[in-house]
Amino acid sequence: MASNEQFNSSSAEIQPRQALEAALGSRVLTPDDPEYAARIESYWCNSAKLRPAYILQPRSAAEVGKAVKVLADASLPFAVRGGGHTNWAGSNNIAGGVTIDLGAYLNRTRYHADTQLADLEPGAKWKDVYTELEKHGRIVAGGREAEVGVGGYLLGGGVAFQSASYGLACDSVVEYEVVLADGSIVVADAKGDHADLFRVLKGGSNNFGIVTRFTMRTFPAGPMWGGMAVRPMSTLAASADATVKFTANISKDPDSNFQLVVGHQPQVGDDPDVVIHICNNMATVEKPESLREFLAMEMKMGNFETTTLQKVLPLASLPTNYYNIWYTVTFKNDASIILKAAELHGKLVKDLKSKVTDGDFTSHVAFQPLPWLFVKQSHATNESGNILGLEQNPGDAILMQAGVSVRTSELAKWVDPKVAALLEGVKSFASSIDGGLLPWIYLNYAHPSQKVLQSYGPENVQRMRDAASRYDPGGVFQQLCPGGFKISAVS
């Protein structure tokens, strides 16, 4: 494999550059191009704003294939960018190598009325997917945040607004168009020659190729009811109890969904330490019975109304141009674990306040229902299964994300081990409860140090190994494309 230093030397890069330009023409950006700086700046998280030697902007799957072939033949390290929302360095960009930027042109959505299926390209953002599908009165089970990209989200599984009805977002994918390591293009579905590839792409990330099209089932679109409430910390205990109750009874109201956030959010006013409730009903039922306990609590600010998905998407958005540190854990549906995580978050906030004296940071621990119903609906929607391994959870669970956003790389390095310590504290407490700590790790929220693929279970790890061996025998996506969670790194 060529090192980044070799690639950056003028003598070593002439031939690859000529080959790349021959494959993609003018859509090869160098640091001297004005558009290069704009594309780097467009990454959501500062950690991802690395500087590759080239940014490739293919317009088609065929051009992606040509680019991968050139890079593999020359042993040049590369990264793949979809929407540009993954938050850790090297996940979707590469210093000194080549970044294949799918977001520039491969960002379209097409609806097929005859089949009621939609083709989504990997560089699209969910706000744009929904805008296009709503023209046809349709929607897909997709992302819950406006700026998140299609590709990374779906390849990591994807918890959706509609998961209680249809399972995870990846379970609604019926076909993938995939560029393999040799530049060839295959179509993978549940019953064809590439059914093994079809399955491992449902949670297996970028271990097997570059997906250039996701074909998904659609559902009727319409208005929804929902919104967000900011509440005082005095509501925390009641919020934890209500979250556990909602999770245990979600089968009675699969159209409603909920997130509990305990956060330090300066944008909400003079007292930034708050409890936040995000409540929605996809069937436009106002104030549904399943959410009434949340709605009755004291509110500092907020709004619930009959609205549109486009207005709800920004509620979960975090600010741009920060360094973001995320960790995640899954635990039993138990209020005491939620309260312990909130307690540890409060200690972290004190540390941050003493270090970041201008107060320019945000932090949170967010809790989402992960009931057994999601697993049941995944199987009902997608008979061939995925490789996420959620079946290991013995019952209803809570998915937690811990996150901190700071302005500088120095602060990010300082706070990272503190967020990790918070996570370990939650895991230790959960382990003290019978069945409290669960194995599954959600790829889309995970820190790069977490053992995501291992958490899917040994049978699914073997499925991924076998597929990587079949579709990428030379290890191009294991060795030359270092970003993401690699099956070759699983011992």
Side-chain angles (χ1 to χ4, degrees):
M1 182 194 308
S3 69
N4 290 351
E5 290 75 19
Q6 288 174 317
F7 183 42
N8 284 331
S9 68
S10 58
S11 61
E13 73 175 62
I14 293 175
Q15 186 175 351
R17 177 173 183 172
Q18 290 174 341
L20 291 168
E21 290 179 341
L24 297 181
S26 62
R27 292 176 295 283
V28 179
L29 303 180
T30 67
D32 297 330
D33 294 306
E35 190 179 348
Y36 177 100
R39 291 307 291 166
I40 298 301
E41 189 58 29
S42 68
Y43 281 93
W44 170 67
C45 180
N46 285 349
S47 300
K49 294 176 182 179
L50 308 177
R51 292 182 62 81
Y54 299 115
I55 298 176
L56 310 186
Q57 297 186 321
R59 292 181 185 267
S60 66
E63 289 192 353
V64 174
K66 291 178 183 178
V68 170
K69 184 70 164 59
V70 170
L71 295 170
D73 288 348
S75 294
L76 298 179
F78 66 95
V80 182
R81 172 187 178 166
H85 200 274
T86 306
N87 65 303
W88 43 279
S91 57
N92 51 14
N93 199 1
I94 190 166
V98 177
T99 294
I100 302 175
D101 178 9
L102 305 176
Y105 296 107
L106 287 172
N107 54 21
R108 293 155 293 194
T109 300
R110 299 180 181 88
Y111 175 66
H112 303 284
D114 55 338
T115 60
Q116 296 185 338
L117 299 175
D119 292 336
L120 281 58
E121 292 183 334
K125 296 185 177 182
W126 286 105
K127 63 180 181 181
D128 300 317
V129 171
Y130 298 139
T131 295
E132 178 59 30
L133 292 179
E134 285 168 353
K135 296 175 184 177
H136 308 277
R138 307 298 290 183
I139 197 173
V140 293
R144 298 169 297 169
E145 200 274 349
E147 301 297 328
V148 167
V150 164
Y153 168 86
L154 288 175
L155 291 172
V159 180
F161 287 119
Q162 304 90 347
S163 286
S165 297
Y166 304 113
L168 270 65
C170 67
D171 295 306
S172 288
V173 179
V174 299
E175 188 175 275
Y176 300 87
E177 179 184 76
V178 191
V179 173
L180 301 180
D182 62 1
S184 64
I185 301 171
V186 299
V187 174
D189 60 23
K191 299 186 182 299
D193 292 339
H194 308 297
D196 55 343
L197 180 60
F198 175 78
R199 182 167 186 171
V200 297
L201 288 171
K202 295 176 182 288
S205 191
N206 65 348
N207 278 284
F208 318 103
I210 299 175
V211 177
T212 49
R213 173 175 53 81
F214 300 83
T215 300
M216 298 187 71
R217 296 182 181 90
T218 68
F219 316 102
M224 60 181 289
W225 176 90
M228 181 180 75
V230 178
R231 307 190 189 276
M233 288 296 292
S234 58
T235 65
L236 175 58
S239 296
D241 287 338
T243 299
V244 169
K245 182 178 177 181
F246 176 86
T247 302
N249 291 283
I250 198 168
S251 61
K252 299 177 182 178
D253 183 11
D255 292 316
S256 290
N257 54 79
F258 171 78
Q259 294 184 55
L260 167 64
V261 182
V262 180
H264 178 86
Q265 304 290 320
Q267 72 273 18
V268 303
D270 294 336
D271 184 4
D273 297 312
V274 292
V275 172
I276 297 172
H277 296 165
I278 302 175
C279 304
N280 300 297
N281 181 278
M282 309 310 290
T284 331
V285 176
E286 295 186 8
K287 301 179 181 179
E289 184 64 32
S290 64
L291 296 171
R292 287 192 183 276
E293 286 190 40
F294 301 110
L295 300 175
M297 295 180 198
E298 179 186 353
M299 185 168 68
K300 300 173 68 172
M301 59 185 291
N303 184 41
F304 294 101
E305 60 183 348
T306 297
T307 184
T308 65
L309 183 58
Q310 294 288 4
K311 290 185 178 179
V312 168
L313 288 176
L315 298 180
S317 296
L318 293 169
T320 59
N321 299 320
Y322 281 80
Y323 291 84
N324 298 275
I325 297 92
W326 290 359
Y327 285 83
T328 187
V329 67
T330 307
F331 52 77
K332 182 181 181 179
N333 186 31
D334 187 299
S336 68
I337 308 175
I338 295 175
L339 293 176
K340 183 63 177 181
E343 173 194 332
L344 294 170
H345 174 260
K347 295 177 180 178
L348 174 63
V349 170
K350 289 181 180 178
D351 285 346
L352 280 159
K353 287 178 178 177
S354 65
K355 180 71 172 180
V356 188
T357 55
D358 63 359
D360 190 8
F361 72 91
T362 66
S363 67
H364 67 267
V365 280
F367 308 94
Q368 302 175 39
L370 194 66
W372 184 255
L373 180 63
F374 285 11
V375 182
K376 179 181 177 182
Q377 300 295 39
S378 285
H379 284 287
T381 301
N382 174 39
E383 294 180 5
S384 63
N386 56 48
I387 48 91
L388 293 165
L390 274 168
E391 297 83 358
Q392 299 172 90
N393 292 346
D396 295 334
I398 297 291
L399 172 62
M400 188 193 92
Q401 180 202 52
V404 172
S405 302
V406 291
R407 283 292 188 188
T408 68
S409 59
E410 290 77 16
L411 283 172
K413 292 176 183 176
W414 172 81
V415 79
D416 190 312
K418 295 183 179 297
V419 185
L422 182 158
L423 187 83
E424 290 305 313
V426 174
K427 290 169 64 177
S428 176
F429 182 83
S431 296
S432 71
I433 296 170
D434 183 30
L437 181 63
L438 302 178
W440 191 67
I441 300 174
Y442 183 34
L443 186 150
N444 290 344
Y445 291 168
H447 189 273
S449 66
Q450 295 192 265
K451 296 181 179 180
V452 172
L453 302 184
Q454 292 93 319
S455 79
Y456 294 177
E459 290 185 5
N460 288 321
V461 166
Q462 191 58 48
R463 287 187 177 101
M464 288 185 281
R465 287 193 199 283
D466 292 344
S469 177
R470 177 184 177 189
Y471 293 100
D472 182 15
V476 169
F477 286 94
Q478 303 303 313
Q479 300 172 38
L480 295 178
C481 184
F485 296 92
K486 295 301 178 184
I487 189 61
S488 58
V490 177
S491 59

